[in-house]
């Protein structure tokens, strides 16, 4: 079964990012001078799309529900500078394999629990350059009905490559 078919039958990975969690990555994208951002796991109403556009970025976005399956891309879209999104947590290994193969800077908002547990993912990170942006506190995601989920039992971080100056950086989150 293709990834898009799996995802269309399961909503467990479909949670949306609040604006305050998107805003913490903006200074790092601007510092690198990125202009064109690809958000391959986002719909038009995504906070990533709205905020990046408001901040002057050119944004290419797509979602499996609108026919853009990240795993079917052989190459990233033309002229993008980096990839930024909140992808499905259940597909972390496959997502990072694909991202590292593109050799393009990226920043993925991810569940930190067990990030390095599976042997394949451990080796993937061991053999590739990456950075971690760790926000203070936990991100409260919301569902498609715009209902905020209670504070999750895990911490979310940005797993990056070619985005941060240091391998590990800590940041505050300002919930508005």
């Amino acid at each position: 079964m293709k990834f898009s078919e799996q995802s269309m039958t399961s909503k467990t990975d479909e949670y949306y990012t609040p604006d305050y969690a998107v805003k913490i990555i903006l200074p790092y994208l601007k510092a690198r001078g990125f202009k064109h951002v690809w958000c391959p796991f986002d719909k038009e109403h995504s906070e990533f799309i709205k905020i990046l556009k408001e901040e002057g970025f050119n944004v290419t976005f797509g979602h499996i529900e609108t026919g853009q399956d990240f795993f079917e891309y052989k190459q990233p879209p033309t002229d993008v500078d980096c990839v930024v999104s909140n992808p499905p947590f259940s597909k972390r290994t496959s997502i990072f394999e694909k991202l590292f193969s593109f050799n393009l800077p990226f920043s993925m908002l991810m569940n930190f629990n067990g990030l390095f547990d599976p042997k394949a993912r451990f080796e993937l990170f061991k053999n590739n350059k990456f950075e971690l942006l760790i926000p203070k506190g936990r991100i409260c995601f919301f569902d498609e009905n715009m209902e905020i989920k209670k504070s999750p039992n895990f911490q979310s971080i940005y797993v990056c490559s070619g985005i941060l100056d240091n391998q590990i950086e800590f940041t505050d989150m300002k919930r508005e």
Side-chain angles (χ1 to χ4, degrees):
M1 186 182 315
K2 291 169 105 175
F3 173 67
S4 57
E5 293 166 344
Q6 292 173 12
S7 294
M8 295 294 274
T9 60
S10 171
K11 292 291 184 186
T12 57
D13 272 345
E14 195 68 24
Y15 288 98
Y16 302 93
T17 308
D19 61 353
Y20 63 86
V22 175
K23 290 176 181 175
I24 62 176
I25 197 63
L26 289 175
Y28 303 96
L29 301 177
K30 290 178 179 182
R32 290 279 188 238
F34 297 136
K35 303 285 185 222
H36 189 173
V37 179
W38 180 29
C39 299
F41 303 99
D42 294 83
K43 299 176 188 175
E44 190 169 13
H45 66 274
S46 156
E47 291 297 322
F48 279 103
I49 307 308
K50 293 191 292 192
I51 292 170
L52 288 167
K53 284 183 174 182
E54 286 170 8
E55 293 292 324
F57 291 93
N58 181 13
V59 181
T60 298
F61 64 92
H63 192 275
I64 55 169
E65 289 181 7
T66 54
Q68 297 89 16
D69 186 337
F70 173 74
F71 293 105
E72 292 183 6
Y73 282 87
K74 302 277 188 256
Q75 303 269 338
T78 307
D79 299 327
V80 296
D81 299 319
C82 65
V83 187
V84 178
S85 196
N86 169 9
F89 292 173
S90 69
K91 305 294 180 200
R92 292 190 287 189
T93 302
S94 299
I95 288 165
F96 286 118
E97 287 171 344
K98 189 105 175 150
L99 287 168
F100 281 122
S101 78
F102 286 153
N103 198 28
L104 190 67
F106 65 80
S107 182
M108 296 286 116
L109 186 59
M110 278 283 152
N111 173 347
F112 185 64
N113 291 355
L115 184 62
F116 306 112
D117 284 353
K119 183 179 180 183
R121 210 162 44 230
F122 178 89
E123 292 298 322
L124 185 65
F125 283 108
K126 179 179 156 191
N127 295 315
N128 287 280
K129 291 184 179 186
F130 71 96
E131 308 98 30
L132 303 175
L133 178 61
I134 304 170
K136 181 180 179 182
R138 294 189 179 182
I139 297 169
C140 294
F141 297 92
F142 54 95
D143 65 18
E144 59 194 17
N145 298 320
M146 304 303 282
E147 292 180 25
I148 296 176
K149 295 299 177 188
K150 292 182 180 176
S151 183
N153 60 358
F154 57 85
Q155 183 174 17
S156 295
I157 64 172
Y158 277 97
V159 179
C160 308
S161 181
I163 303 284
L164 308 177
D165 290 332
N166 300 302
Q167 189 167 25
I168 298 176
E169 295 202 18
F170 296 89
T171 188
D172 285 322
M173 261 189 313
K174 295 179 179 94
R175 296 181 191 199
E176 298 164 1

